[in-house]
Amino acid sequence: MKLRRSNSSASQITISYVIILGIITVIMGLSLAVGVGYQLVDAKIQDANGLMNSLQRSFIDDKPDWNQWRTNSNVNTKDTFVRVESSRNNKEHIYYSANTKGFLKNKPERIPFFNALEVRDYWRPYYHLTEVSKGVRYEIWVSFHSVTHIFHVIFNILLIVMLASFLIGVGLISVLAKHLNRPLVNLTRSTHKINQAGKLSYDTQLPIPNKPQEVTDLTKEFNQLLEQLNHKAIRDRQFVSDASHELRTPITAIRGHVQFIQRHGKEHPEIVGRSLGYIDSESLRMQKLIESLLRLSRMDKMTVKRDLVDVSELLNNIVGTYQESIPQKLDFQHDVPLNAFVNRDNLEQIVIALLNNASKYSDKTTRIVIRLHQKQDKVLLEIIDQGIGITDAEKKEIFERFYRVDKARTQKIPGTGLGLAIVKKLAELNKIEIKIADNQPQGSNFILIMPINN
Ligand code: ADP
Protein backbone atom coordinates (compact mmCIF):
# COMPACT_ATOMS: atom_id res chain seq x y z
CA MET A 1 0.00 0.00 0.00
CA LYS A 2 1.71 3.13 -1.22
CA LEU A 3 0.04 6.40 -0.44
CA ARG A 4 1.55 9.15 -2.56
CA ARG A 5 2.12 12.01 -0.11
CA SER A 6 1.11 14.79 -2.50
CA ASN A 7 -2.19 12.97 -3.19
CA SER A 8 -3.09 12.26 0.41
CA SER A 9 -6.09 14.18 1.69
CA ALA A 10 -3.89 15.60 4.51
CA SER A 11 -1.62 17.29 1.96
CA GLN A 12 -4.62 18.39 -0.13
CA ILE A 13 -6.17 20.01 2.96
CA THR A 14 -2.80 21.55 3.89
CA ILE A 15 -2.24 23.00 0.39
CA SER A 16 -5.77 24.48 0.23
CA TYR A 17 -5.55 26.02 3.69
CA VAL A 18 -2.01 27.33 3.09
CA ILE A 19 -3.22 29.10 -0.07
CA ILE A 20 -6.15 30.60 1.86
CA LEU A 21 -3.87 31.59 4.75
CA GLY A 22 -1.38 33.12 2.30
CA ILE A 23 -4.09 35.20 0.61
CA ILE A 24 -5.50 36.35 3.97
CA THR A 25 -2.02 37.28 5.28
CA VAL A 26 -1.18 39.27 2.14
CA ILE A 27 -4.56 41.09 2.18
CA MET A 28 -4.18 41.90 5.90
CA GLY A 29 -0.59 43.08 5.41
CA LEU A 30 -1.50 45.25 2.44
CA SER A 31 -4.52 46.77 4.26
CA LEU A 32 -2.38 47.56 7.29
CA ALA A 33 0.39 49.06 5.15
CA VAL A 34 -2.10 51.19 3.16
CA GLY A 35 -3.90 52.30 6.37
CA VAL A 36 -0.71 53.25 8.20
CA GLY A 37 0.77 54.89 5.08
CA TYR A 38 -2.39 56.95 4.57
CA GLN A 39 -2.38 58.12 8.20
CA LEU A 40 1.30 59.16 8.01
CA VAL A 41 0.88 61.03 4.71
CA ASP A 42 -2.28 62.73 5.99
CA ALA A 43 -0.51 63.87 9.16
CA LYS A 44 2.35 65.27 7.07
CA ILE A 45 -0.09 67.19 4.80
CA GLN A 46 -1.74 68.64 7.93
CA ASP A 47 1.71 69.73 9.09
CA ALA A 48 2.38 71.39 5.72
CA ASN A 49 -0.93 73.30 5.95
CA GLY A 50 -0.06 74.42 9.48
CA LEU A 51 3.33 75.63 8.27
CA MET A 52 1.65 77.54 5.43
CA ASN A 53 -0.70 79.30 7.91
CA SER A 54 2.10 80.26 10.26
CA LEU A 55 4.14 81.46 7.26
CA GLN A 56 1.34 83.78 6.15
CA ARG A 57 1.01 85.12 9.72
CA SER A 58 4.74 85.87 9.89
CA PHE A 59 4.69 87.86 6.62
CA ILE A 60 4.86 91.30 8.18
CA ASP A 61 5.60 94.52 6.30
CA ASP A 62 5.66 92.67 2.99
CA LYS A 63 8.58 90.61 4.25
CA PRO A 64 8.73 87.16 5.88
CA ASP A 65 10.10 87.02 9.42
CA TRP A 66 11.87 83.64 9.35
CA ASN A 67 12.61 83.64 13.11
CA GLN A 68 9.01 84.27 14.05
CA TRP A 69 7.88 81.67 11.55
CA ARG A 70 10.20 79.05 13.00
CA THR A 71 9.14 79.79 16.61
CA ASN A 72 5.43 79.97 15.66
CA SER A 73 5.51 76.65 13.82
CA ASN A 74 4.52 73.64 15.91
CA VAL A 75 6.58 71.28 13.73
CA ASN A 76 10.27 71.02 12.95
CA THR A 77 11.11 73.31 10.01
CA LYS A 78 14.61 71.92 9.50
CA ASP A 79 13.68 69.89 6.41
CA THR A 80 11.23 72.52 5.11
CA PHE A 81 12.01 74.99 2.34
CA VAL A 82 10.07 78.15 1.59
CA ARG A 83 9.90 80.56 -1.29
CA VAL A 84 7.79 83.78 -1.08
CA GLU A 85 7.14 86.01 -4.09
CA SER A 86 5.61 89.47 -3.66
CA SER A 87 5.32 92.56 -5.85
CA ARG A 88 5.73 95.82 -4.00
CA ASN A 89 5.69 99.18 -5.81
CA ASN A 90 5.52 97.25 -9.09
CA LYS A 91 8.76 95.55 -8.14
CA GLU A 92 9.22 91.81 -7.82
CA HIS A 93 10.63 90.56 -4.47
CA ILE A 94 11.55 86.91 -3.93
CA TYR A 95 12.42 85.65 -0.44
CA TYR A 96 13.96 82.23 0.35
CA SER A 97 14.25 80.54 3.71
CA ALA A 98 17.66 79.14 4.73
CA ASN A 99 19.14 76.59 2.23
CA THR A 100 16.14 76.94 -0.11
CA LYS A 101 18.15 78.38 -3.01
CA GLY A 102 20.56 75.41 -2.94
CA PHE A 103 17.61 73.03 -2.56
CA LEU A 104 15.81 74.48 -5.61
CA LYS A 105 18.92 74.15 -7.75
CA ASN A 106 18.27 70.37 -7.99
CA LYS A 107 15.77 69.65 -10.74
CA PRO A 108 12.63 67.93 -9.38
CA GLU A 109 11.36 64.58 -10.66
CA ARG A 110 7.58 64.39 -10.87
CA ILE A 111 5.65 61.36 -9.67
CA PRO A 112 2.84 60.48 -12.08
CA PHE A 113 -0.73 61.04 -10.70
CA PHE A 114 0.68 62.72 -7.55
CA ASN A 115 1.25 66.29 -8.76
CA ALA A 116 1.94 67.64 -5.27
CA LEU A 117 4.84 65.20 -4.79
CA GLU A 118 8.35 65.95 -6.04
CA VAL A 119 11.49 63.90 -5.79
CA ARG A 120 14.70 65.87 -5.28
CA ASP A 121 18.01 65.45 -3.61
CA TYR A 122 18.78 61.80 -4.44
CA TRP A 123 15.30 60.36 -4.34
CA ARG A 124 14.00 62.20 -1.32
CA PRO A 125 10.27 62.89 -1.63
CA TYR A 126 8.88 66.38 -0.85
CA TYR A 127 5.35 67.67 -0.58
CA HIS A 128 4.99 70.89 -2.55
CA LEU A 129 2.28 73.32 -1.35
CA THR A 130 1.48 76.62 -3.13
CA GLU A 131 -0.91 79.34 -2.01
CA VAL A 132 -1.53 82.91 -3.26
CA SER A 133 -2.92 85.43 -0.81
CA LYS A 134 -3.18 89.21 -1.12
CA GLY A 135 -0.85 89.30 -4.15
CA VAL A 136 1.78 87.17 -2.38
CA ARG A 137 2.67 83.68 -3.63
CA TYR A 138 3.80 81.26 -0.91
CA GLU A 139 5.51 77.98 -1.80
CA ILE A 140 6.51 75.35 0.76
CA TRP A 141 8.39 72.06 0.25
CA VAL A 142 7.93 69.72 3.22
CA SER A 143 10.19 66.63 3.37
CA PHE A 144 8.45 63.26 3.34
CA HIS A 145 11.63 61.56 4.43
CA SER A 146 10.41 60.87 7.99
CA VAL A 147 7.17 59.39 6.53
CA THR A 148 9.02 57.01 4.24
CA HIS A 149 11.42 56.12 7.05
CA ILE A 150 8.60 55.27 9.50
CA PHE A 151 6.73 53.46 6.75
CA HIS A 152 9.82 51.47 5.93
CA VAL A 153 10.29 50.40 9.55
CA ILE A 154 6.59 49.49 9.91
CA PHE A 155 6.67 47.61 6.61
CA ASN A 156 9.68 45.56 7.74
CA ILE A 157 8.03 44.72 11.08
CA LEU A 158 4.82 43.79 9.26
CA LEU A 159 6.73 41.57 6.86
CA ILE A 160 8.47 39.70 9.71
CA VAL A 161 5.22 39.28 11.68
CA MET A 162 3.35 38.14 8.56
CA LEU A 163 6.05 35.65 7.63
CA ALA A 164 6.23 34.28 11.18
CA SER A 165 2.46 33.91 11.49
CA PHE A 166 2.30 32.35 8.03
CA LEU A 167 4.94 29.75 8.92
CA ILE A 168 3.30 28.98 12.30
CA GLY A 169 -0.07 28.75 10.49
CA VAL A 170 1.33 26.31 7.92
CA GLY A 171 2.78 24.12 10.69
CA LEU A 172 -0.49 24.10 12.65
CA ILE A 173 -2.56 23.38 9.54
CA SER A 174 -0.35 20.46 8.55
CA VAL A 175 -0.55 18.97 12.09
CA LEU A 176 -4.34 19.48 12.14
CA ALA A 177 -4.78 17.97 8.65
CA LYS A 178 -2.77 14.90 9.67
CA HIS A 179 -4.82 14.60 12.84
CA LEU A 180 -8.10 14.83 10.89
CA ASN A 181 -6.84 12.33 8.36
CA ARG A 182 -5.61 9.77 10.87
CA PRO A 183 -8.88 7.75 11.11
CA LEU A 184 -8.87 7.32 7.31
CA VAL A 185 -5.21 6.32 7.27
CA ASN A 186 -5.87 3.80 10.07
CA LEU A 187 -8.87 2.43 8.15
CA THR A 188 -6.72 1.97 5.03
CA ARG A 189 -4.02 0.22 7.09
CA SER A 190 -6.51 -2.19 8.67
CA THR A 191 -8.04 -2.97 5.25
CA HIS A 192 -4.57 -3.53 3.83
CA LYS A 193 -3.76 -5.95 6.67
CA ILE A 194 -6.92 -7.97 5.94
CA ASN A 195 -6.05 -8.02 2.22
CA GLN A 196 -2.54 -9.21 2.96
CA ALA A 197 -3.70 -11.92 5.36
CA GLY A 198 -5.86 -13.41 2.57
CA LYS A 199 -7.74 -15.50 5.16
CA LEU A 200 -11.47 -15.09 5.31
CA SER A 201 -13.62 -15.80 8.31
CA TYR A 202 -17.14 -14.78 9.35
CA ASP A 203 -15.79 -12.43 12.01
CA THR A 204 -13.14 -10.48 10.05
CA GLN A 205 -14.01 -6.87 10.86
CA LEU A 206 -12.36 -3.46 10.74
CA PRO A 207 -11.91 -1.52 14.00
CA ILE A 208 -14.60 1.21 14.14
CA PRO A 209 -13.27 4.68 15.10
CA ASN A 210 -15.44 6.84 17.43
CA LYS A 211 -15.05 9.94 15.25
CA PRO A 212 -15.39 11.57 12.82
CA GLN A 213 -18.95 10.40 12.15
CA GLU A 214 -18.34 10.02 8.37
CA VAL A 215 -15.48 7.58 8.91
CA THR A 216 -17.44 5.72 11.61
CA ASP A 217 -20.36 5.29 9.18
CA LEU A 218 -18.05 4.31 6.33
CA THR A 219 -16.34 1.67 8.51
CA LYS A 220 -19.71 0.25 9.64
CA GLU A 221 -20.91 0.02 6.03
CA PHE A 222 -17.60 -1.50 5.04
CA ASN A 223 -17.88 -4.10 7.82
CA GLN A 224 -21.34 -5.08 6.63
CA LEU A 225 -20.05 -5.45 3.10
CA LEU A 226 -17.10 -7.47 4.38
CA GLU A 227 -19.42 -9.72 6.35
CA GLN A 228 -21.60 -10.33 3.29
CA LEU A 229 -18.62 -11.01 1.03
CA ASN A 230 -17.02 -13.28 3.61
CA HIS A 231 -20.27 -15.19 4.05
CA LYS A 232 -20.61 -15.58 0.31
CA ALA A 233 -17.01 -16.69 -0.19
CA ILE A 234 -17.26 -19.18 2.66
CA ARG A 235 -20.63 -20.46 1.41
CA ASP A 236 -19.19 -20.92 -2.09
CA ARG A 237 -16.24 -22.85 -0.70
CA GLN A 238 -18.58 -24.94 1.42
CA PHE A 239 -20.77 -25.55 -1.63
CA VAL A 240 -17.87 -26.92 -3.69
CA SER A 241 -16.81 -29.20 -0.85
CA ASP A 242 -20.43 -30.35 -0.22
CA ALA A 243 -21.01 -30.97 -3.92
CA SER A 244 -17.82 -33.06 -4.19
CA HIS A 245 -18.80 -34.97 -1.08
CA GLU A 246 -22.35 -35.64 -2.33
CA LEU A 247 -21.02 -36.82 -5.71
CA ARG A 248 -18.31 -38.99 -4.17
CA THR A 249 -20.79 -41.01 -2.07
CA PRO A 250 -22.73 -42.56 -5.01
CA ILE A 251 -19.51 -43.02 -7.03
CA THR A 252 -17.90 -44.92 -4.13
CA ALA A 253 -21.02 -47.10 -3.85
CA ILE A 254 -21.08 -47.77 -7.62
CA ARG A 255 -17.37 -48.66 -7.69
CA GLY A 256 -17.82 -50.91 -4.64
CA HIS A 257 -20.59 -52.88 -6.39
CA VAL A 258 -18.64 -53.09 -9.69
CA GLN A 259 -15.61 -54.53 -7.84
CA PHE A 260 -17.91 -56.87 -5.91
CA ILE A 261 -19.35 -58.20 -9.20
CA GLN A 262 -15.85 -58.53 -10.71
CA ARG A 263 -14.61 -60.57 -7.71
CA HIS A 264 -17.63 -62.74 -6.94
CA GLY A 265 -19.93 -62.44 -9.98
CA LYS A 266 -18.71 -65.64 -11.66
CA GLU A 267 -19.00 -67.90 -8.60
CA HIS A 268 -22.21 -66.28 -7.28
CA PRO A 269 -24.23 -65.04 -10.28
CA GLU A 270 -27.23 -64.42 -7.96
CA ILE A 271 -25.54 -61.29 -6.47
CA VAL A 272 -25.18 -59.61 -9.88
CA GLY A 273 -28.84 -58.66 -10.18
CA ARG A 274 -28.96 -57.13 -6.66
CA SER A 275 -25.71 -55.18 -7.20
CA LEU A 276 -26.89 -53.89 -10.57
CA GLY A 277 -30.04 -52.66 -8.80
CA TYR A 278 -27.86 -50.67 -6.33
CA ILE A 279 -25.73 -49.33 -9.18
CA ASP A 280 -28.90 -48.24 -10.97
CA SER A 281 -30.35 -46.41 -7.95
CA GLU A 282 -27.00 -44.76 -7.04
CA SER A 283 -26.41 -43.58 -10.62
CA LEU A 284 -29.97 -42.24 -10.68
CA ARG A 285 -29.24 -40.33 -7.46
CA MET A 286 -26.10 -38.93 -9.07
CA GLN A 287 -28.01 -37.94 -12.18
CA LYS A 288 -30.62 -36.08 -10.09
CA LEU A 289 -27.89 -34.36 -8.12
CA ILE A 290 -26.05 -33.20 -11.24
CA GLU A 291 -29.31 -32.02 -12.84
CA SER A 292 -30.19 -30.03 -9.71
CA LEU A 293 -26.71 -28.49 -9.60
CA LEU A 294 -26.97 -27.51 -13.24
CA ARG A 295 -30.41 -25.97 -12.69
CA LEU A 296 -29.09 -23.99 -9.73
CA SER A 297 -26.10 -22.65 -11.64
CA ARG A 298 -28.28 -21.74 -14.65
CA MET A 299 -30.62 -19.83 -12.39
CA ASP A 300 -27.82 -17.41 -11.43
CA LYS A 301 -28.00 -15.89 -14.90
CA MET A 302 -31.69 -16.48 -15.56
CA THR A 303 -34.36 -13.83 -16.04
CA VAL A 304 -38.02 -14.83 -16.04
CA LYS A 305 -41.02 -13.57 -17.93
CA ARG A 306 -43.89 -13.01 -15.54
CA ASP A 307 -47.59 -12.84 -16.45
CA LEU A 308 -50.92 -12.86 -14.74
CA VAL A 309 -51.44 -16.58 -13.97
CA ASP A 310 -54.70 -18.23 -12.91
CA VAL A 311 -53.30 -19.89 -9.77
CA SER A 312 -56.57 -21.72 -8.91
CA GLU A 313 -56.61 -23.43 -12.29
CA LEU A 314 -52.88 -24.25 -12.11
CA LEU A 315 -53.29 -25.82 -8.64
CA ASN A 316 -56.31 -27.86 -9.80
CA ASN A 317 -54.15 -29.31 -12.60
CA ILE A 318 -51.24 -30.05 -10.27
CA VAL A 319 -53.49 -31.74 -7.69
CA GLY A 320 -55.08 -33.80 -10.47
CA THR A 321 -51.80 -35.16 -11.83
CA TYR A 322 -49.66 -35.23 -8.67
CA GLN A 323 -52.20 -37.01 -6.44
CA GLU A 324 -51.45 -40.32 -8.19
CA SER A 325 -47.75 -40.26 -7.29
CA ILE A 326 -48.10 -39.74 -3.51
CA PRO A 327 -49.88 -41.77 -0.82
CA GLN A 328 -51.12 -38.76 1.20
CA LYS A 329 -54.51 -37.23 0.40
CA LEU A 330 -54.28 -33.76 -1.21
CA ASP A 331 -56.95 -31.30 -0.06
CA PHE A 332 -57.18 -28.12 -2.17
CA GLN A 333 -59.12 -25.35 -0.37
CA HIS A 334 -60.05 -22.15 -2.19
CA ASP A 335 -63.04 -19.83 -2.42
CA VAL A 336 -62.75 -17.71 -5.54
CA PRO A 337 -60.42 -18.06 -8.55
CA LEU A 338 -57.25 -16.03 -7.90
CA ASN A 339 -54.56 -14.68 -10.22
CA ALA A 340 -50.93 -13.87 -9.39
CA PHE A 341 -48.23 -12.09 -11.37
CA VAL A 342 -45.63 -14.88 -11.73
CA ASN A 343 -44.05 -17.25 -14.22
CA ARG A 344 -46.42 -20.21 -14.61
CA ASP A 345 -43.70 -22.89 -15.05
CA ASN A 346 -41.68 -21.57 -12.12
CA LEU A 347 -44.71 -21.57 -9.83
CA GLU A 348 -45.50 -25.14 -10.88
CA GLN A 349 -41.91 -26.23 -10.07
CA ILE A 350 -42.07 -24.52 -6.65
CA VAL A 351 -45.42 -26.12 -5.75
CA ILE A 352 -44.30 -29.60 -6.86
CA ALA A 353 -41.02 -29.32 -4.89
CA LEU A 354 -42.95 -28.27 -1.75
CA LEU A 355 -45.56 -31.01 -2.22
CA ASN A 356 -42.75 -33.50 -2.74
CA ASN A 357 -41.18 -32.48 0.61
CA ALA A 358 -44.55 -32.42 2.38
CA SER A 359 -45.07 -35.99 1.18
CA LYS A 360 -41.51 -37.18 1.99
CA TYR A 361 -41.50 -35.83 5.55
CA SER A 362 -45.05 -36.91 6.52
CA ASP A 363 -46.74 -40.16 7.40
CA LYS A 364 -48.47 -41.87 4.45
CA THR A 365 -51.84 -41.77 6.23
CA THR A 366 -51.85 -38.00 6.79
CA ARG A 367 -53.42 -35.24 4.71
CA ILE A 368 -51.70 -32.41 2.84
CA VAL A 369 -53.75 -29.21 2.61
CA ILE A 370 -53.26 -26.66 -0.17
CA ARG A 371 -54.97 -23.40 0.78
CA LEU A 372 -55.30 -20.46 -1.58
CA HIS A 373 -56.61 -17.03 -0.50
CA GLN A 374 -56.04 -13.32 -0.91
CA LYS A 375 -54.71 -10.92 1.73
CA GLN A 376 -54.67 -7.23 0.77
CA ASP A 377 -52.73 -6.99 -2.53
CA LYS A 378 -51.10 -10.43 -2.19
CA VAL A 379 -52.16 -13.96 -3.05
CA LEU A 380 -51.24 -16.47 -0.34
CA LEU A 381 -50.64 -20.12 -1.12
CA GLU A 382 -50.15 -22.43 1.89
CA ILE A 383 -48.90 -26.01 1.70
CA ILE A 384 -49.66 -27.58 5.06
CA ASP A 385 -48.50 -31.04 6.12
CA GLN A 386 -48.77 -33.06 9.33
CA GLY A 387 -45.22 -34.40 9.11
CA ILE A 388 -42.10 -34.31 11.28
CA GLY A 389 -42.07 -30.50 11.44
CA ILE A 390 -39.14 -28.07 11.33
CA THR A 391 -37.54 -26.43 14.41
CA ASP A 392 -37.04 -22.65 14.48
CA ALA A 393 -33.25 -23.03 14.16
CA GLU A 394 -33.65 -25.31 11.12
CA LYS A 395 -36.14 -22.93 9.47
CA LYS A 396 -33.24 -20.49 8.92
CA GLU A 397 -30.98 -23.13 7.40
CA ILE A 398 -33.08 -25.39 5.19
CA PHE A 399 -32.91 -23.08 2.15
CA GLU A 400 -29.10 -23.38 2.08
CA ARG A 401 -27.65 -25.64 -0.62
CA PHE A 402 -27.06 -29.23 0.59
CA TYR A 403 -28.56 -28.52 4.00
CA ARG A 404 -30.47 -31.55 5.32
CA VAL A 405 -31.90 -31.83 8.79
CA ASP A 406 -30.28 -34.74 10.66
CA LYS A 407 -33.64 -36.45 11.17
CA ALA A 408 -34.06 -36.62 7.37
CA ARG A 409 -30.69 -38.29 7.08
CA THR A 410 -31.13 -40.76 9.95
CA GLN A 411 -34.59 -41.74 8.75
CA LYS A 412 -32.94 -42.42 5.34
CA ILE A 413 -35.45 -40.23 3.49
CA PRO A 414 -34.03 -39.82 -0.02
CA GLY A 415 -33.01 -36.32 -1.06
CA THR A 416 -30.14 -34.10 -2.19
CA GLY A 417 -30.56 -31.07 0.04
CA LEU A 418 -30.90 -28.91 -3.08
CA GLY A 419 -34.71 -28.88 -3.48
CA LEU A 420 -35.41 -25.87 -1.25
CA ALA A 421 -32.32 -24.02 -2.55
CA ILE A 422 -33.88 -24.25 -6.03
CA VAL A 423 -37.28 -23.19 -4.62
CA LYS A 424 -35.68 -20.15 -2.97
CA LYS A 425 -33.97 -19.08 -6.21
CA LEU A 426 -37.18 -19.51 -8.24
CA ALA A 427 -39.15 -17.55 -5.64
CA GLU A 428 -36.61 -14.68 -5.72
CA LEU A 429 -36.81 -14.55 -9.52
CA ASN A 430 -40.62 -14.30 -9.29
CA LYS A 431 -40.70 -11.83 -6.38
CA ILE A 432 -42.42 -14.44 -4.23
CA GLU A 433 -41.82 -14.34 -0.49
CA ILE A 434 -41.62 -17.64 1.39
CA LYS A 435 -42.45 -18.05 5.08
CA ILE A 436 -42.48 -21.21 7.20
CA ALA A 437 -44.93 -21.63 10.05
CA ASP A 438 -45.64 -24.57 12.33
CA ASN A 439 -48.82 -26.54 11.71
CA GLN A 440 -50.84 -27.44 14.81
CA PRO A 441 -50.65 -29.94 16.39
CA GLN A 442 -47.94 -31.26 14.09
CA GLY A 443 -46.20 -30.52 10.81
CA SER A 444 -45.10 -27.55 8.73
CA ASN A 445 -46.79 -24.82 6.75
CA PHE A 446 -44.90 -23.34 3.76
CA ILE A 447 -46.54 -20.01 2.81
CA LEU A 448 -45.92 -18.46 -0.61
CA ILE A 449 -46.79 -14.75 -0.73
CA MET A 450 -47.26 -13.75 -4.37
CA PRO A 451 -47.75 -10.36 -6.04
CA ILE A 452 -51.01 -9.79 -7.92
CA ASN A 453 -49.52 -7.18 -10.24
CA ASN A 454 -46.18 -6.07 -11.53
P1 ADP B 1 -34.11 -32.72 0.47
O1 ADP B 1 -33.72 -33.21 -0.84
O2 ADP B 1 -33.27 -33.23 1.59
O3 ADP B 1 -35.56 -32.83 0.74
P2 ADP B 1 -34.64 -29.90 0.54
O4 ADP B 1 -33.78 -28.76 0.20
O5 ADP B 1 -35.89 -30.06 -0.22
O6 ADP B 1 -33.74 -31.18 0.45
O7 ADP B 1 -34.99 -29.77 2.06
C1 ADP B 1 -33.97 -29.49 2.98
C2 ADP B 1 -34.28 -30.08 4.33
O8 ADP B 1 -35.40 -29.43 4.91
C3 ADP B 1 -34.73 -31.52 4.25
O9 ADP B 1 -33.64 -32.38 4.27
C4 ADP B 1 -35.61 -31.66 5.45
O10 ADP B 1 -34.82 -31.97 6.58
C5 ADP B 1 -36.20 -30.29 5.64
N1 ADP B 1 -37.60 -30.19 5.14
C6 ADP B 1 -37.98 -29.72 3.96
N2 ADP B 1 -39.32 -29.74 3.82
C7 ADP B 1 -39.80 -30.28 4.95
C8 ADP B 1 -41.12 -30.58 5.43
N3 ADP B 1 -42.22 -30.32 4.72
N4 ADP B 1 -41.21 -31.11 6.68
C9 ADP B 1 -40.11 -31.34 7.41
N5 ADP B 1 -38.86 -31.11 7.02
C10 ADP B 1 -38.69 -30.57 5.80
Side-chain angles (χ1 to χ4, degrees):
M1 173 199 53
K2 269 196 186 135
L3 206 98
R4 265 186 293 145
R5 288 191 140 260
S6 58
N7 278 348
S8 72
S9 71
S11 55
Q12 299 286 322
I13 294 173
T14 310
I15 291 169
S16 317
Y17 275 90
V18 163
I19 292 172
I20 295 170
L21 182 69
I23 293 171
I24 291 174
T25 317
V26 169
I27 291 175
M28 268 174 58
L30 278 178
S31 324
L32 268 170
V34 169
V36 170
Y38 177 79
Q39 288 298 326
L40 287 170
V41 170
D42 192 51
K44 208 66 191 172
I45 291 172
Q46 300 291 331
D47 286 354
N49 287 329
L51 281 173
M52 177 61 88
N53 288 340
S54 65
L55 178 66
Q56 287 178 18
R57 279 199 302 275
S58 24
F59 195 76
I60 306 156
D61 296 336
D62 286 344
K63 219 171 142 189
D65 181 344
W66 300 121
N67 281 336
Q68 197 195 341
W69 173 60
R70 281 192 208 288
T71 37
N72 277 353
S73 304
N74 50 359
V75 285
N76 191 356
T77 55
K78 200 174 133 269
D79 273 349
T80 307
F81 304 96
V82 180
R83 181 173 180 268
V84 181
E85 217 181 298
S86 81
S87 47
R88 212 183 328 135
N89 308 328
N90 291 333
K91 223 176 145 199
E92 281 262 303
H93 293 274
I94 301 175
Y95 306 96
Y96 295 97
S97 67
N99 305 326
T100 303
K101 275 189 184 166
F103 167 77
L104 289 177
K105 265 186 197 147
N106 290 316
K107 273 216 133 210
E109 299 280 341
R110 299 253 169 233
I111 297 176
F113 307 113
F114 297 99
N115 291 338
L117 276 186
E118 288 177 7
V119 178
R120 291 175 187 259
D121 224 1
Y122 304 108
W123 284 101
R124 280 169 169 245
Y126 286 89
Y127 179 63
H128 182 197
L129 187 63
T130 309
E131 257 186 53
V132 179
S133 160
K134 296 178 191 155
V136 184
R137 182 184 166 84
Y138 303 91
E139 278 183 280
I140 292 182
W141 286 265
V142 181
S143 169
F144 259 21
H145 180 61
S146 59
V147 173
T148 48
H149 178 70
I150 296 171
F151 188 74
H152 199 225
V153 171
I154 289 176
F155 190 78
N156 282 346
I157 293 171
L158 259 178
L159 210 67
I160 292 168
V161 170
M162 269 162 57
L163 210 72
S165 48
F166 180 76
L167 290 177
I168 293 170
V170 170
L172 286 177
I173 287 167
S174 127
V175 170
L176 189 76
K178 271 190 199 137
H179 177 75
L180 285 175
N181 212 29
R182 196 166 302 141
L184 267 181
V185 173
N186 290 344
L187 184 66
T188 316
R189 271 199 200 120
S190 316
T191 318
H192 182 67
K193 250 190 221 162
I194 293 174
N195 273 343
Q196 290 291 301
K199 271 191 206 151
L200 290 174
S201 74
Y202 284 119
D203 49 10
T204 309
Q205 292 276 282
L206 294 166
I208 300 175
N210 291 332
K211 57 182 186 176
Q213 194 56 45
E214 291 87 344
V215 183
T216 310
D217 292 347
L218 175 72
T219 317
K220 280 183 187 162
E221 291 294 326
F222 209 82
N223 275 343
Q224 271 181 18
L225 185 71
L226 205 63
E227 201 179 306
Q228 277 179 26
L229 289 176
N230 283 353
H231 266 81
K232 190 177 175 322
I234 291 162
R235 264 205 319 268
D236 286 349
R237 233 182 264 172
Q238 188 64 39
F239 172 67
V240 173
S241 113
D242 287 347
S244 328
H245 177 79
E246 292 294 326
L247 284 170
R248 208 169 45 207
T249 314
I251 285 177
T252 314
I254 291 170
R255 283 189 57 77
H257 282 290
V258 170
Q259 282 166 0
F260 189 60
I261 294 170
Q262 278 172 342
R263 257 185 267 131
H264 307 289
K266 276 195 188 132
E267 303 100 73
H268 303 283
E270 71 281 2
I271 61 153
V272 175
R274 217 179 56 204
S275 282
L276 281 177
Y278 279 122
I279 290 173
D280 186 42
S281 72
E282 287 300 321
S283 56
L284 198 71
R285 193 163 108 85
M286 233 171 85
Q287 190 186 349
K288 276 188 187 158
L289 194 73
I290 291 169
E291 274 166 9
S292 300
L293 281 172
L294 277 172
R295 276 181 73 194
L296 259 178
S297 83
R298 267 189 229 119
M299 268 183 238
D300 280 338
K301 300 159 221 147
M302 203 165 94
T303 49
V304 293
K305 197 173 163 295
R306 296 186 297 144
D307 282 312
L308 212 54
V309 173
D310 183 343
V311 185
S312 323
E313 182 252 351
L314 176 72
L315 287 173
N316 264 324
N317 286 346
I318 294 175
V319 170
T321 49
Y322 196 71
Q323 179 64 83
E324 291 166 19
S325 49
I326 57 166
Q328 292 89 350
K329 175 95 188 65
L330 286 178
D331 178 5
F332 180 30
Q333 303 174 353
H334 65 113
D335 302 327
V336 281
L338 286 173
N339 294 332
F341 199 79
V342 288
N343 177 287
R344 188 186 168 91
D345 289 346
N346 288 174
L347 181 60
E348 188 173 345
Q349 287 168 43
I350 293 173
V351 173
I352 289 178
L354 293 179
L355 284 177
N356 200 10
N357 277 351
S359 166
K360 272 199 299 186
Y361 301 106
S362 307
D363 197 88
K364 288 185 178 115
T365 56
T366 56
R367 213 163 51 105
I368 298 170
V369 175
I370 303 169
R371 191 179 295 151
L372 183 69
H373 55 107
Q374 183 166 358
K375 201 171 176 190
Q376 285 148 6
D377 59 344
K378 301 278 178 193
V379 170
L380 268 64
L381 168 59
E382 297 178 63
I383 295 175
I384 310 160
D385 65 53
Q386 295 161 1
I388 56 174
I390 304 166
T391 64
D392 286 343
E394 289 160 353
K395 280 180 190 129
K396 288 181 200 129
E397 307 277 2
I398 56 173
F399 289 98
E400 292 297 325
R401 293 172 294 192
F402 291 116
Y403 184 86
R404 299 202 75 205
V405 176
D406 277 345
K407 236 197 268 179
R409 291 186 195 275
T410 48
Q411 291 187 8
K412 299 241 178 338
I413 301 169
T416 58
L418 290 174
L420 286 183
I422 295 173
V423 165
K424 184 182 159 197
K425 273 262 154 96
L426 287 172
E428 277 169 9
L429 287 169
N430 284 275
K431 298 195 182 352
I432 299 173
E433 195 189 336
I434 305 181
K435 280 190 178 159
I436 309 172
D438 292 326
N439 182 32
Q440 295 307 335
Q442 199 190 331
S444 316
N445 180 4
F446 280 78
I447 309 160
L448 300 180
I449 304 163
M450 297 178 278
I452 50 174
N453 47 37
N454 195 1

